[in-house]
Amino acid sequence: MRIAVGPASRRLGEKIAKNLGLMEVYVEFKEFPDGETYLRVGEIEPSEDILLVQSMAPPQARNLMVLVQMISAIRDCTAGKIVAVVPYLAFARQDKAFLKCEAVSAKVTAKVIEANDVDTLLIVEPHSDESFSWFTRKVLPIDPLQDLASFLRNSRETKTVIAPDKGRIREASVLAEMLGTSYGWVEKERDRRTGELVSKIGQLPVNTGSALLFDDLISTGGTIANAARLLKAQGIESIEVATVHGLFVQEGDVKIFQSGVSSIYAADTIEGKYTAYSVARSVSQAVEKLSHGL
Ligand code: R5P
C-alpha cells in the first residue's frame, strides 16, 4: 500500500505516512485562474492498494471536489482497494432535514464521495452517527479523544471538562475519565431559522476552579463564547478550550478570547493557527487494524 496526500492535509498526511512507513504517491494539484481545480496522481500499479488523505476544511465545497478528484484519478489507475481518510467531514451538521424540504447535505456529500468507487472511509469525529449513516460503503469513525488526552496530559494541569451543549456530554465524560478529572455541561438551544443561541448551565461539579470546554467543532465561536461567559459568571477563573475541528470563521477565535478564554487547542484535521495536537496516531492505528482485513 502507498499513500496519496491531498493539498488540504499535507502535514497530517506526512505524519500518517511516517507512522505507517508508507511511500507517497506523487499528487499534482493546481487551481486554474477561474478557481477550477486540477489533480493528477503519479503512476500506480493496476492492483495497488492506496490510502488517501484529504480534509474537507474550508473552502468545503472545493475540498470535497479535490477529495473526489483524488478518488477518481486513483480509481482510474487501480482495481486495488482505496481507503480514504477524511480528517474533517464537512456538511455533517445537516445530517437530517430539520425543516421541511431542506437538502440533507450529509446525504449529498456521502453520495458524491461514494459515486467514485472508494472501498472504505475513515472519518475523524464525524459529528453524529446520523452524518455517516448515509454512507453505504464501509465507513469507520475515528475517535481522536485519546490524541487530545495525550496532548493535555503532557502540557496541562487537570481541569474539569465541560461540554458546551448536551450533544457533547459523552465526549466530556470520556475525556474527563482519560484525564482523571470531573465533567459537567452547559445546555444550548439554537433557533433553526435565525441561528440565535441561548445557553444555560446544565450541571457543574462543586468546586470547579478551572475548566476545559470541549466541542467537536468550532465554527463562529458562538457556542463556546456563550458557555465561557456562563462559566465566568459562576466564578470559574481559568477557562481553556479544546476542539477537534477548528474552523474559526467570522473571527470566532476573537469572540472566544473576548469571552474570557485563555487558550484554544485544535487538532490537525483542519490545519490552522490553533492546531496544537495531531490525530495521526489514531488514524494510523485504524489503518493498521483495517489493513489486516484488506
Ligand atoms: C453543534 O452541534 C456543534 O457540535 C458545535 O457546537 C457548533 O457547530 C459550533 O458552532 P459555532 O462555533 O458557530 O457556535
Side-chain angles (χ1 to χ4, degrees):
M1 178 184 259
R2 282 190 296 154
I3 184 168
V5 179
S9 293
R10 276 306 322 163
R11 276 178 282 170
L12 174 59
E14 279 162 17
K15 282 187 186 142
I16 296 169
K18 198 170 163 206
N19 284 353
L20 295 170
L22 296 179
M23 299 285 285
E24 278 197 45
V25 174
Y26 173 70
V27 176
E28 181 187 350
F29 170 75
K30 65 184 177 196
E31 205 173 79
F32 292 107
D34 57 8
E36 290 183 1
T37 53
Y38 168 93
L39 192 129
R40 184 177 75 88
V41 290
E43 240 164 76
I44 293 175
E45 297 298 319
S47 59
E48 205 178 340
D49 296 334
I50 300 290
L51 176 71
L52 69 92
V53 189
Q54 164 70 5
S55 178
M56 289 167 63
Q60 294 89 331
R62 186 191 91 141
N63 279 326
L64 166 60
M65 180 63 184
V66 178
L67 169 64
V68 172
Q69 284 175 311
M70 285 182 79
I71 297 170
S72 173
I74 293 167
R75 178 49 78 215
D76 287 348
C77 294
T78 179
K81 299 273 185 217
I82 301 179
V83 178
V85 177
V86 183
Y88 172 57
L89 179 73
F91 303 107
R93 283 171 291 174
Q94 186 77 43
D95 53 12
K96 54 178 164 279
F98 297 97
L99 302 175
K100 213 174 157 196
C101 297
E102 280 178 338
V104 180
S105 309
K107 178 172 74 172
V108 178
T109 305
K111 282 192 172 180
V112 169
I113 294 173
E114 289 193 338
N116 287 282
D117 205 8
V118 59
D119 293 283
T120 307
L121 287 133
L122 301 178
I123 301 175
V124 182
E125 178 49 86
H127 178 70
S128 64
D129 292 348
E130 289 80 10
S131 71
F132 69 90
S133 69
W134 297 108
F135 289 93
T136 57
R137 304 283 169 109
K138 188 169 181 181
V139 52
L140 304 170
I142 296 181
D143 182 344
L145 289 180
Q146 199 58 260
D147 300 308
L148 174 59
S150 305
F151 164 75
L152 293 167
R153 263 188 230 114
N154 286 340
S155 56
R156 302 286 117 201
E157 70 194 84
T158 311
K159 291 165 177 281
T160 299
V161 183
I162 308 284
D165 58 36
K166 280 173 135 180
R168 293 303 133 198
I169 295 177
R170 186 198 72 83
E171 285 83 355
S173 70
V174 171
L175 189 57
E177 198 178 331
M178 287 173 176
L179 296 171
T181 183
S182 54
Y183 73 96
W185 66 89
V186 165
E187 291 178 15
K188 166 183 98 173
E189 269 184 43
R190 190 188 290 271
D191 185 304
R192 287 271 158 214
R193 288 182 196 276
T194 63
E196 198 194 333
L197 287 181
V198 182
S199 301
K200 61 176 189 194
I201 293 290
Q203 189 170 303
L204 282 182
V206 278
N207 300 329
T208 301
S210 54
L212 176 83
L213 272 164
F214 171 81
D215 207 350
D216 65 321
L217 76 92
I218 297 177
S219 180
T220 65
T223 300
I224 289 290
N226 275 7
R229 274 192 291 270
L230 283 172
L231 298 183
K232 282 268 163 188
Q234 297 289 312
I236 299 174
E237 283 300 318
S238 159
I239 305 171
E240 293 188 324
V241 167
T243 189
V244 182
H245 312 301
L247 288 101
F248 306 111
V249 299
Q250 296 173 356
E251 300 196 321
D253 51 345
V254 176
K255 200 181 295 168
I256 290 171
F257 287 125
Q258 282 172 349
S259 71
V261 166
S262 59
S263 311
I264 304 174
Y265 310 112
D268 54 0
T269 54
I270 295 175
E271 294 172 355
K273 195 168 156 187
Y274 299 101
T275 299
Y277 69 100
S278 180
V279 299
R281 197 169 62 176
S282 294
V283 173
S284 307
Q285 283 169 351
V287 175
E288 263 169 354
K289 260 194 218 158
L290 191 70
S291 39
H292 294 307
L294 276 184

